Amino acid sequence: MAYFDAASSAPLHPVARQALQASLDEGWADPSRLYREGRRARLLLDAAREAAAEAVGCRADELVFTSSGTRALHDGMAGALAGRRRVGRHVVVSAVEHSAVLHSAAAHESDGGSVTEVGVGREGRVAVAAYADALRSDTALACLQSANHEVGTVQPVAEVAHLCREAGVPLLVDAAQSLAWGPVEGDWSLLTGSAHKWGGPAGVGILVVRKGVRFAAQGPADERESGRAAGFENIPGIVAAAASLRAVRAEAAGEAARLRELTERIRVRVPELVPDVEVVGDPERRLPHLVTFSCLYVDGESVLHGLDRSGFSVSSGSSCTSSTLTPSHVLRAMGVVSEGNVRVSLPPGTEAGEVERFLDVLPGVVREVREKLGAPVTSAAGAAESVTVDALGLSCPLPVIELAKAIGRVRVGGTVSVVADDEVAAVDIPAWCFTQGQEYVGAEPRPRGGASYVVRRLV
Amino acid sequence: MAYFDAASSAPLHPVARQALQASLDEGWADPSRLYREGRRARLLLDAAREAAAEAVGCRADELVFTSSGTRALHDGMAGALAGRRRVGRHVVVSAVEHSAVLHSAAAHESDGGSVTEVGVGREGRVAVAAYADALRSDTALACLQSANHEVGTVQPVAEVAHLCREAGVPLLVDAAQSLAWGPVEGDWSLLTGSAHKWGGPAGVGILVVRKGVRFAAQGPADERESGRAAGFENIPGIVAAAASLRAVRAEAAGEAARLRELTERIRVRVPELVPDVEVVGDPERRLPHLVTFSCLYVDGESVLHGLDRSGFSVSSGSSCTSSTLTPSHVLRAMGVVSEGNVRVSLPPGTEAGEVERFLDVLPGVVREVREKLGAPVTSAAGAAESVTVDALGLSCPLPVIELAKAIGRVRVGGTVSVVADDEVAAVDIPAWCFTQGQEYVGAEPRPRGGASYVVRRLV
């Protein structure tokens, strides 16, 4: 059994468990009470705040504990936007932020605000110049993650923070994926994190608001956590979260180097072992423990089930594994293949042998799914000038499989038209062309929905 | 050491501790993932939901877990109000609800809604007829606690639920103080609770929305907990909360009978042991574990410190113990004395001997504070027609102490005028008159703030 989905949630760190158990006895009372149980709880809360602030690199009175990273983002964005409402109601986000950021931005837009999404390159990184262009005189808030949660690409936070500071716009950094590895550099204004990503318990997030940043907490008044996070404090969870952050930081340098080698091995070996794979995300400026690749001609859910049966727990940004039936917005923004997507994120302590076993198992799992779906093995040289494929009613990855079969029936320079109504085809057909060296000519919408996607054979 | 503040937060129940520790190993993964760690987490979450729903008396798919009781109230009220926005924007609350309800109502009012506060009698209970009068054709939501958190009075929830149902208005019941003792009776529509009040861990609340109740969750979209409670689920906390609720319920009948005797003993003995005390709240229809009394001529903070030094942890609704410097809105709404207020709420397992020790210690603590403040021992028979007391700049309980001294200097039928600028005097002087059998004539505002409070001596 190997759990390779630390980016979703990391198992509880042993130090977190100890701290949690110890503070169950001392930290259950109301820290705002004057009696001894209350004073003990307050001491624990204050010490946890000091420890977390030190790890983040801020003052203790700038940091509050929320009930989750999602709540920290929701409440942090709402408070920062309200605090600068006189400046304007424009918010800038990258296109690859966590859904909590994008959903907050959408809620702000529904409420009359405006949103600019800064696009990313194929490796998932925003260009600093593009981010600069998005800032306006009425921009109330800018948001940028420290590193992407699906592909691991590290964002240019310090540079973007610098230009935001020059423009007088506060920058909120979602640091959920990177806080375990180190503080966020640069002159940011707000920062959020989530304890269960760094080996702390669920139910604890952090929200940091630098002194001098205008902030007006939204929602009903509540005196807890400086009025910024409503509800009775979960002190045992908070103590465990702070202890765990300190513990993972103490091990971070060594663990980062070790895990980077293991993920590098996956980056190199998977394309050698499995045909028609695209490794996505930046190969260099990336999180040490995370690697993502997409396998053509398979659906993510079948690969996940196959890997689960073989003892490996990974996640996928493919449409087939999500209840919304849309592929990951991150992969779509990057323009990379979303079908057969696999994200491997190694928890601290992962052994090299587990990664080798994963590399042993993966090719067979992918091959089995491809065989079941009738995926093309080789592209033969055909003679036809053009071929039209009817993929109506077929869903990911079948339209791409049909395309790959049909390409073998046309001559070089000929075209294949794929008629499909699965909306994922609009992402995956262009991405397939890119990875296969074929030309994506374009799509023509059909009157009754879907489109005809035209591909020219180049090789 | 005796902790008598269970109404603020109860120590973790041993069953909750066991459940928490067991589920730390099984419940840390993302329950929406398809791999085995995710499926295990999902099983735990589903089982906890079933158990909690059974204890509440609802369907499992009507109950979501929130991050606190406060969040359940904030989000439950906001969702219910938004769901019935077409009906109107009027909300009815009792005057003695928890601050999370009143602050939500205030936020709704700031946003253009309207609020009716239904007053309570001297025992802290709303009159069903008064509640009925408050309902209007544009009432979107009504809120009533199952029992009051400061004085323990049980509210007529079933009757109010019935009339709300007839009026087509959903009733939200804040059941935080009573869920440990049993389900809430009557045909309510929404219900909230808080795990750390029933011996569960902090960081877990519940929100129940009955099928058929219009509800539109507010804030940014989030797929967790049916879209009603944003953020990654705190499964170990949730499992512990559900286990604890089941455990306290199994012991509830016996424990309620036992603690009711102990609180009854306090109700009877305190006025015998300490002069000038008012026991507040309903003597019969009340929570079994909670009793509240106010001691004239002392400040709550000094009494709390004195009791803390003697090994007793209690809370107070007096102004002097809260950061806002206003007395408890509950005591004010009831029109009872707020000075020297002491709330005793016994956790399960409290021994009779601890209560006896409390009764031994209390008179000395109150006497010591009274001596320090120069409180009157007896009211002598005076001769003056009228006396004016300058209590400007004095704060609770000193204006009342000056009044009590001055009453001894006037003849029966004569008056004392107390000139005071401490706003608590407006609550405590009329309440003092009521408890002492004197007539409160009225208050005349002074141009520069404060008022002249006139009292006629009757006895």
Side-chain angles (χ1 to χ4, degrees), chain A residues 1 3 5 8-9 11 17 21 24-25 28 33 35-37 39 67-68 70-71 74-75 103-104 196 202 220-222 230-233 308 313-315, chain B residues 1 3 5 8-9 11 17 20-21 25 28 33 35-37 39 67-68 70-71 74-75 103-104 196 202 220-222 230-233 308 313-315:
Chain A
M1 295 309 309
Y3 176 78
D5 196 22
S8 281
S9 191
R17 178 184 298 255
Q21 292 186 348
L24 290 175
D25 291 326
W28 52 270
R33 297 292 178 186
Y35 44 68
R36 78 190 62 206
E37 294 86 351
R39 297 194 303 268
S67 60
S68 66
T70 292
R71 280 286 189 186
H74 288 179
D75 295 351
H103 289 161
S104 283
H196 75 100
D222 190 274
F232 190 86
E233 298 91 340
D308 181 43
S313 300
V314 299
S315 77
Chain B
M1 295 311 309
Y3 177 78
D5 196 22
S8 282
S9 191
R17 179 185 297 255
L20 183 68
Q21 292 186 348
D25 290 324
W28 51 270
R33 296 293 177 187
Y35 44 69
R36 77 191 61 206
E37 293 87 351
R39 297 193 304 267
S67 60
S68 66
T70 293
R71 279 287 189 185
H74 289 179
D75 295 351
H103 289 161
S104 283
H196 74 101
D222 190 274
F232 190 85
E233 298 92 341
D308 180 45
S313 300
V314 300
S315 77

Coordinates of all heavy atoms in Angstrom, one line a residue, chain A residues 1 3 5 8-9 11 17 21 24-25 28 33 35-37 39 67-68 70-71 74-75 103-104 196 202 220-222 230-233 308 313-315, chain B residues 1 3 5 8-9 11 17 20-21 25 28 33 35-37 39 67-68 70-71 74-75 103-104 196 202 220-222 230-233 308 313-315:
Chain A
M1 N 0.8 -1.2 0.0 CA 0.0 0.0 0.0 C 0.9 1.3 0.0 O 1.7 1.4 0.8 CB -0.8 0.0 1.3 CG -1.8 -1.1 1.4 SD -2.8 -1.2 -0.1 CE -3.4 0.5 -0.3
Y3 N 0.4 5.5 -0.4 CA -0.5 6.7 -0.5 C 0.3 7.8 -1.2 O 1.3 8.3 -0.6 CB -1.0 7.1 0.8 CG -1.8 8.3 0.8 CD1 -3.2 8.3 0.4 CD2 -1.3 9.6 1.2 CE1 -4.0 9.4 0.3 CE2 -2.1 10.7 1.1 CZ -3.4 10.6 0.7 OH -4.2 11.7 0.6
D5 N -1.0 10.7 -2.5 CA -1.9 11.9 -2.8 C -1.7 12.9 -1.7 O -2.7 13.4 -1.2 CB -3.3 11.4 -3.0 CG -4.2 12.5 -3.6 OD1 -3.6 13.4 -4.3 OD2 -5.4 12.4 -3.5
S8 N -3.6 16.2 -1.7 CA -5.0 16.3 -1.3 C -5.1 16.4 0.2 O -5.7 17.3 0.8 CB -5.8 15.0 -1.6 OG -6.2 15.0 -3.0
S9 N -4.4 15.5 0.9 CA -4.4 15.5 2.4 C -3.2 14.6 2.8 O -3.1 13.5 2.3 CB -5.7 15.0 2.9 OG -5.8 15.2 4.3
P11 N -1.2 12.3 5.6 CA -1.5 11.6 6.9 C -1.0 12.5 8.1 O 0.0 13.3 7.9 CB -0.6 10.4 6.8 CG -0.3 10.2 5.4 CD -0.3 11.6 4.8
R17 N 0.1 14.3 16.1 CA -0.7 13.4 16.9 C -0.4 13.6 18.4 O -1.3 13.7 19.3 CB -0.4 12.0 16.5 CG -1.2 10.9 17.3 CD -0.8 9.5 16.8 NE -1.1 9.3 15.5 CZ -2.2 8.6 15.1 NH1 -2.9 8.0 15.9 NH2 -2.4 8.5 13.8
Q21 N -3.0 15.0 21.2 CA -3.4 14.2 22.4 C -3.1 15.0 23.7 O -4.0 15.0 24.6 CB -2.8 12.9 22.4 CG -3.3 12.0 21.2 CD -2.8 10.6 21.2 OE1 -1.9 10.3 21.9 NE2 -3.5 9.8 20.4
L24 N -5.7 17.8 24.2 CA -7.1 17.5 24.5 C -7.4 17.7 26.0 O -8.5 18.0 26.4 CB -7.4 16.0 24.1 CG -7.4 15.7 22.6 CD1 -7.5 14.2 22.4 CD2 -8.5 16.4 21.9
D25 N -6.4 17.5 26.8 CA -6.5 17.6 28.2 C -6.5 19.1 28.7 O -7.1 19.5 29.7 CB -5.4 16.9 29.0 CG -5.6 15.4 28.9 OD1 -6.7 14.9 28.8 OD2 -4.5 14.7 28.8
W28 N -9.5 22.3 26.0 CA -10.9 22.2 25.6 C -11.7 23.4 26.1 O -12.8 23.6 25.7 CB -11.4 20.9 26.2 CG -11.2 20.8 27.7 CD1 -10.1 20.2 28.2 CD2 -11.9 21.3 28.7 NE1 -10.1 20.3 29.6 CE2 -11.3 21.0 29.9 CE3 -13.1 22.0 28.8 CZ2 -11.7 21.3 31.2 CZ3 -13.6 22.4 30.1 CH2 -12.9 22.0 31.2
R33 N -12.3 32.9 28.8 CA -12.7 32.9 30.2 C -11.5 33.1 31.1 O -10.4 32.8 30.8 CB -13.3 31.5 30.5 CG -14.6 31.2 29.7 CD -15.7 32.1 30.1 NE -16.9 31.8 29.3 CZ -18.0 32.5 29.4 NH1 -18.1 33.5 30.1 NH2 -19.0 32.1 28.6
Y35 N -11.1 31.9 34.3 CA -10.7 30.9 35.2 C -9.5 30.0 34.7 O -9.1 30.2 33.5 CB -11.9 30.0 35.6 CG -12.8 29.6 34.4 CD1 -12.3 28.7 33.5 CD2 -14.1 30.0 34.3 CE1 -13.1 28.3 32.4 CE2 -14.9 29.7 33.3 CZ -14.4 28.8 32.4 OH -15.3 28.4 31.3
R36 N -9.0 29.1 35.5 CA -7.7 28.5 35.2 C -7.8 27.6 33.9 O -6.9 27.6 33.1 CB -7.2 27.7 36.3 CG -7.8 26.4 36.6 CD -7.3 25.9 37.9 NE -7.7 26.8 39.0 CZ -7.0 27.0 40.2 NH1 -6.0 26.3 40.4 NH2 -7.5 27.9 41.1
E37 N -8.9 26.9 33.7 CA -9.0 26.1 32.5 C -9.0 27.0 31.2 O -8.4 26.7 30.2 CB -10.3 25.3 32.5 CG -10.4 24.2 33.6 CD -10.9 24.7 34.9 OE1 -11.1 25.9 35.0 OE2 -11.1 23.9 35.8
R39 N -7.6 30.1 31.1 CA -6.2 30.6 31.0 C -5.3 29.6 30.4 O -4.4 30.0 29.5 CB -5.7 31.1 32.3 CG -6.5 32.2 33.0 CD -5.8 32.9 34.2 NE -5.5 31.9 35.2 CZ -6.2 31.7 36.3 NH1 -7.4 32.2 36.4 NH2 -5.8 30.8 37.2
S67 N -11.2 27.7 10.2 CA -11.6 26.3 10.3 C -11.1 25.4 9.1 O -11.3 24.2 9.1 CB -13.1 26.2 10.4 OG -13.7 26.7 9.3
S68 N -10.5 26.0 8.1 CA -10.0 25.3 6.9 C -9.2 26.3 6.0 O -9.4 27.5 6.1 CB -11.1 24.6 6.1 OG -11.9 25.6 5.5
T70 N -9.9 26.5 2.9 CA -11.0 27.1 2.0 C -11.6 28.3 2.7 O -11.8 29.3 2.1 CB -12.0 26.0 1.8 OG1 -11.4 25.0 1.0 CG2 -13.2 26.5 1.1
R71 N -11.9 28.1 4.0 CA -12.5 29.3 4.8 C -11.5 30.4 4.8 O -11.9 31.6 4.8 CB -12.9 28.8 6.2 CG -14.2 28.1 6.3 CD -15.4 29.0 6.1 NE -16.6 28.3 6.4 CZ -17.8 28.8 6.2 NH1 -18.0 30.0 5.7 NH2 -18.9 28.1 6.5
H74 N -11.9 32.0 1.4 CA -13.2 32.7 1.3 C -13.2 34.0 2.1 O -13.6 35.1 1.6 CB -14.3 31.8 1.7 CG -14.6 30.7 0.8 ND1 -15.6 29.7 1.1 CD2 -14.1 30.3 -0.3 CE1 -15.6 28.8 0.1 NE2 -14.7 29.1 -0.7
D75 N -12.9 33.9 3.4 CA -13.0 35.0 4.3 C -11.9 36.0 4.1 O -12.1 37.2 4.2 CB -13.0 34.5 5.8 CG -14.2 33.7 6.1 OD1 -15.1 33.6 5.2 OD2 -14.3 33.1 7.2
H103 N -14.0 30.3 -7.0 CA -15.4 30.4 -6.6 C -15.6 31.7 -5.9 O -16.7 32.3 -6.0 CB -15.8 29.2 -5.8 CG -15.9 28.0 -6.6 ND1 -15.9 26.7 -6.1 CD2 -16.0 27.8 -8.0 CE1 -16.0 25.8 -7.1 NE2 -16.1 26.4 -8.2
S104 N -14.7 32.1 -5.1 CA -14.8 33.4 -4.4 C -14.9 34.6 -5.4 O -15.7 35.5 -5.3 CB -13.6 33.7 -3.4 OG -13.8 33.0 -2.3
H196 N -4.0 20.4 7.1 CA -4.0 19.0 6.7 C -3.1 18.7 5.5 O -2.9 17.6 5.1 CB -5.4 18.4 6.6 CG -6.1 18.8 5.3 ND1 -6.2 18.0 4.2 CD2 -6.7 20.0 5.0 CE1 -6.9 18.7 3.3 NE2 -7.2 19.9 3.7
A202 N -7.2 18.0 10.0 CA -8.2 18.7 9.3 C -8.9 19.7 10.2 O -8.8 19.5 11.5 CB -9.2 17.8 8.7
P220 N -21.6 38.0 10.0 CA -22.0 38.5 11.3 C -20.8 38.7 12.3 O -19.8 38.0 12.2 CB -22.9 37.4 11.9 CG -23.4 36.6 10.6 CD -22.2 36.7 9.7
A221 N -20.9 39.7 13.1 CA -19.8 40.0 14.1 C -19.6 38.8 15.0 O -20.5 38.1 15.4 CB -20.2 41.2 14.9
D222 N -18.3 38.6 15.3 CA -17.9 37.5 16.2 C -16.6 37.9 16.8 O -15.7 38.3 16.1 CB -17.8 36.2 15.5 CG -17.7 35.0 16.4 OD1 -16.5 34.7 16.8 OD2 -18.7 34.4 16.8
A230 N -15.0 33.3 12.7 CA -16.1 33.1 13.6 C -16.1 31.7 14.2 O -15.6 30.8 13.5 CB -17.4 33.4 12.9
G231 N -16.5 31.6 15.4 CA -16.7 30.2 16.0 C -15.7 29.9 17.0 O -14.5 30.4 17.0
F232 N -16.1 29.1 18.0 CA -15.2 28.7 19.1 C -13.9 28.0 18.6 O -14.0 27.2 17.7 CB -16.0 27.7 19.9 CG -15.4 27.3 21.2 CD1 -15.6 28.0 22.4 CD2 -14.6 26.1 21.3 CE1 -15.1 27.7 23.6 CE2 -14.1 25.8 22.5 CZ -14.3 26.5 23.7
E233 N -12.8 28.4 19.1 CA -11.5 27.9 18.6 C -11.3 26.5 18.9 O -11.5 26.0 20.0 CB -10.4 28.7 19.3 CG -10.3 30.2 19.0 CD -11.1 31.0 20.1 OE1 -11.9 30.4 20.8 OE2 -10.9 32.2 20.2
D308 N -5.3 1.8 -7.8 CA -5.8 1.5 -6.4 C -5.8 0.0 -6.2 O -5.4 -0.5 -5.1 CB -7.3 2.0 -6.3 CG -7.9 1.8 -4.9 OD1 -7.2 2.0 -3.9 OD2 -9.0 1.4 -4.8
S313 N -2.5 4.9 -4.3 CA -3.5 6.0 -4.2 C -3.0 7.2 -4.8 O -2.1 7.9 -4.3 CB -3.9 6.2 -2.7 OG -4.4 5.0 -2.2
V314 N -3.6 7.6 -5.9 CA -3.2 8.9 -6.6 C -4.5 9.6 -7.0 O -5.6 9.1 -6.8 CB -2.4 8.6 -7.9 CG1 -1.1 7.8 -7.6 CG2 -3.3 7.8 -8.9
S315 N -4.4 10.8 -7.4 CA -5.6 11.5 -7.9 C -5.5 11.9 -9.3 O -4.4 11.6 -10.0 CB -5.8 12.8 -7.0 OG -5.0 13.8 -7.4
Chain B
M1 N -10.4 21.2 42.7 CA -10.7 21.9 41.5 C -12.1 21.4 41.0 O -12.3 20.2 40.8 CB -9.7 21.5 40.4 CG -8.3 22.0 40.7 SD -8.3 23.7 41.2 CE -9.2 24.4 39.8
Y3 N -14.8 22.3 37.8 CA -15.2 23.1 36.6 C -16.7 23.1 36.5 O -17.3 22.0 36.3 CB -14.5 22.4 35.4 CG -14.9 23.1 34.1 CD1 -14.3 24.3 33.8 CD2 -15.8 22.6 33.3 CE1 -14.6 25.0 32.6 CE2 -16.2 23.2 32.1 CZ -15.6 24.4 31.8 OH -15.9 25.1 30.6
D5 N -18.5 25.1 34.4 CA -18.9 26.0 33.3 C -19.1 25.2 32.0 O -18.7 25.5 30.9 CB -17.8 27.1 33.0 CG -18.4 28.2 32.2 OD1 -19.6 28.4 32.1 OD2 -17.6 28.9 31.5
S8 N -20.3 26.7 28.7 CA -19.3 27.3 27.8 C -18.7 26.3 26.9 O -18.6 26.4 25.7 CB -18.2 28.1 28.6 OG -18.6 29.3 29.0
S9 N -18.2 25.2 27.6 CA -17.5 24.2 26.9 C -17.4 23.0 27.8 O -17.0 23.2 29.0 CB -16.1 24.6 26.4 OG -15.6 23.7 25.5
P11 N -15.7 19.4 29.1 CA -14.5 18.6 28.8 C -14.8 17.4 27.9 O -15.9 17.0 27.8 CB -14.1 18.0 30.2 CG -14.9 18.9 31.2 CD -16.1 19.4 30.5
R17 N -12.9 10.9 23.1 CA -11.4 10.8 23.0 C -11.0 9.5 22.2 O -10.2 9.5 21.4 CB -10.8 10.9 24.4 CG -9.3 10.7 24.4 CD -8.8 10.7 25.8 NE -9.1 11.9 26.5 CZ -8.2 12.8 26.8 NH1 -6.9 12.7 26.4 NH2 -8.5 13.9 27.4
L20 N -11.9 9.8 18.6 CA -11.0 10.7 17.9 C -9.7 10.0 17.6 O -9.2 10.1 16.5 CB -10.7 12.0 18.8 CG -9.9 13.1 18.2 CD1 -10.6 13.8 17.1 CD2 -9.5 14.1 19.3
Q21 N -9.1 9.4 18.6 CA -7.8 8.7 18.4 C -7.9 7.6 17.3 O -7.1 7.5 16.5 CB -7.3 8.2 19.7 CG -6.9 9.4 20.6 CD -6.3 9.0 21.9 OE1 -6.3 7.8 22.3 NE2 -5.8 9.9 22.6
D25 N -6.3 7.6 12.5 CA -5.6 6.7 11.6 C -6.4 6.4 10.3 O -5.9 6.1 9.3 CB -5.4 5.3 12.3 CG -4.4 5.4 13.4 OD1 -3.4 6.2 13.2 OD2 -4.6 4.7 14.4
W28 N -8.2 10.6 7.9 CA -7.4 11.9 7.5 C -7.5 12.1 6.0 O -7.2 13.2 5.6 CB -6.0 11.7 7.9 CG -5.4 10.4 7.4 CD1 -5.3 9.3 8.1 CD2 -4.8 10.2 6.2 NE1 -4.8 8.3 7.3 CE2 -4.4 8.8 6.1 CE3 -4.5 11.0 5.0 CZ2 -3.8 8.3 5.0 CZ3 -3.9 10.4 3.9 CH2 -3.6 9.1 3.9
R33 N -12.4 11.2 -2.5 CA -11.5 10.4 -3.4 C -11.9 9.0 -3.5 O -12.5 8.4 -2.6 CB -10.0 10.5 -2.9 CG -9.5 11.9 -2.8 CD -9.2 12.4 -4.2 NE -8.7 13.8 -4.2 CZ -8.6 14.6 -5.2 NH1 -8.9 14.2 -6.4 NH2 -8.1 15.8 -5.1
Y35 N -9.9 6.3 -4.0 CA -9.0 5.2 -3.5 C -9.3 4.8 -2.1 O -10.2 5.4 -1.4 CB -7.5 5.7 -3.6 CG -7.3 7.1 -3.1 CD1 -7.4 7.5 -1.8 CD2 -6.9 8.1 -4.0 CE1 -7.1 8.8 -1.4 CE2 -6.6 9.4 -3.6 CZ -6.7 9.7 -2.3 OH -6.5 11.0 -1.9
R36 N -8.7 3.8 -1.6 CA -9.1 3.1 -0.4 C -9.1 4.1 0.8 O -10.0 4.0 1.7 CB -8.4 1.8 -0.1 CG -7.0 2.0 0.4 CD -6.3 0.6 0.4 NE -6.2 0.2 -1.0 CZ -6.2 -1.1 -1.4 NH1 -6.2 -2.1 -0.5 NH2 -6.1 -1.4 -2.7
E37 N -8.0 4.9 1.0 CA -8.0 5.8 2.1 C -9.2 6.8 2.1 O -9.8 7.1 3.1 CB -6.7 6.6 2.1 CG -5.4 5.8 2.4 CD -4.9 5.2 1.1 OE1 -5.5 5.3 0.0 OE2 -3.8 4.6 1.2
R39 N -12.1 6.1 0.6 CA -13.3 5.4 0.8 C -13.5 5.1 2.3 O -14.6 5.1 2.9 CB -13.3 4.0 0.1 CG -13.3 4.2 -1.5 CD -13.6 2.9 -2.2 NE -12.7 1.8 -1.9 CZ -11.6 1.5 -2.5 NH1 -11.2 2.2 -3.5 NH2 -10.9 0.5 -2.2
S67 N -18.1 23.8 10.9 CA -16.9 23.9 11.7 C -17.2 24.4 13.2 O -16.2 24.4 14.0 CB -15.9 24.8 11.0 OG -16.4 26.1 10.9
S68 N -18.4 24.8 13.5 CA -18.7 25.2 14.8 C -20.2 25.5 14.9 O -20.9 25.6 13.8 CB -18.0 26.5 15.2 OG -18.4 27.6 14.4
T70 N -21.5 28.2 16.0 CA -21.6 29.6 15.5 C -21.7 29.6 13.9 O -22.6 30.3 13.4 CB -20.4 30.5 15.9 OG1 -20.4 30.6 17.3 CG2 -20.4 31.8 15.3
R71 N -20.9 28.9 13.3 CA -20.9 28.8 11.8 C -22.2 28.2 11.4 O -22.8 28.6 10.3 CB -19.8 28.0 11.2 CG -18.5 28.8 11.1 CD -18.5 29.8 10.0 NE -17.2 30.4 9.8 CZ -16.9 31.3 8.9 NH1 -17.8 31.9 8.2 NH2 -15.7 31.8 8.8
H74 N -24.7 31.1 11.7 CA -24.5 32.1 10.6 C -24.9 31.6 9.3 O -25.7 32.2 8.6 CB -23.0 32.4 10.5 CG -22.5 33.2 11.7 ND1 -21.2 33.6 11.8 CD2 -23.1 33.7 12.8 CE1 -21.0 34.3 12.9 NE2 -22.1 34.4 13.6
D75 N -24.5 30.4 8.9 CA -24.7 29.9 7.6 C -26.2 29.4 7.4 O -26.8 29.5 6.4 CB -23.7 28.8 7.2 CG -22.3 29.3 7.1 OD1 -22.1 30.5 7.2 OD2 -21.3 28.5 7.0
H103 N -26.3 38.6 16.1 CA -25.4 39.2 15.2 C -25.7 38.9 13.8 O -25.5 39.7 12.9 CB -23.9 38.8 15.5 CG -23.4 39.4 16.8 ND1 -22.3 38.9 17.5 CD2 -23.8 40.4 17.5 CE1 -22.1 39.6 18.6 NE2 -23.0 40.5 18.6
S104 N -26.2 37.7 13.5 CA -26.7 37.4 12.1 C -27.8 38.3 11.8 O -28.0 38.8 10.7 CB -27.1 35.9 12.0 OG -25.9 35.1 11.9
H196 N -18.8 20.8 21.1 CA -18.0 20.9 22.4 C -18.9 21.2 23.5 O -18.5 21.3 24.7 CB -16.9 21.9 22.2 CG -17.4 23.4 22.2 ND1 -17.3 24.2 23.2 CD2 -17.9 24.1 21.2 CE1 -17.7 25.4 22.9 NE2 -18.1 25.4 21.7
A202 N -14.0 20.6 20.0 CA -14.2 21.9 19.3 C -14.0 21.7 17.8 O -13.4 20.7 17.4 CB -13.3 23.0 19.9
P220 N -19.1 31.7 -1.5 CA -18.6 31.0 -2.7 C -19.0 29.5 -2.7 O -19.2 28.9 -1.7 CB -17.1 31.1 -2.5 CG -16.9 32.3 -1.6 CD -18.1 32.3 -0.6
A221 N -19.2 29.0 -3.9 CA -19.6 27.6 -4.1 C -18.5 26.7 -3.5 O -17.3 27.0 -3.6 CB -19.8 27.3 -5.6
D222 N -19.0 25.6 -2.9 CA -18.0 24.6 -2.4 C -18.8 23.3 -2.4 O -19.9 23.2 -1.9 CB -17.5 25.0 -1.0 CG -16.4 24.1 -0.5 OD1 -16.7 23.0 0.0 OD2 -15.2 24.5 -0.7
A230 N -18.6 24.9 3.7 CA -17.4 24.9 2.9 C -16.2 24.4 3.7 O -16.1 24.6 4.9 CB -17.1 26.4 2.5
G231 N -15.2 23.8 3.0 CA -14.0 23.4 3.6 C -13.9 21.9 3.8 O -14.9 21.2 4.0
F232 N -12.6 21.4 3.7 CA -12.3 20.0 3.9 C -12.9 19.5 5.3 O -12.7 20.1 6.3 CB -10.8 19.9 3.9 CG -10.3 18.5 3.8 CD1 -10.1 17.9 2.6 CD2 -9.9 17.8 5.0 CE1 -9.6 16.6 2.5 CE2 -9.4 16.5 4.9 CZ -9.3 15.9 3.7
E233 N -13.5 18.4 5.2 CA -14.2 17.9 6.4 C -13.2 17.4 7.5 O -12.2 16.7 7.2 CB -15.1 16.6 6.1 CG -16.2 16.9 5.1 CD -15.8 16.7 3.6 OE1 -14.6 16.7 3.3 OE2 -16.7 16.6 2.8
D308 N -12.5 31.3 41.6 CA -11.4 30.7 40.9 C -10.2 30.3 41.9 O -9.7 29.2 41.9 CB -10.9 31.6 39.8 CG -9.7 30.9 39.0 OD1 -9.8 29.7 38.6 OD2 -8.7 31.7 38.7
S313 N -14.6 27.0 38.8 CA -14.6 27.8 37.5 C -16.1 27.9 37.1 O -16.8 27.0 36.8 CB -13.9 27.0 36.5 OG -12.6 26.8 36.9
V314 N -16.5 29.2 37.1 CA -17.9 29.5 36.7 C -17.8 30.7 35.8 O -16.8 31.3 35.6 CB -18.8 29.9 37.9 CG1 -18.9 28.8 38.9 CG2 -18.3 31.2 38.6
S315 N -19.0 31.1 35.2 CA -18.9 32.2 34.3 C -19.9 33.2 34.8 O -20.7 33.0 35.8 CB -19.2 31.9 32.9 OG -20.6 31.6 32.7

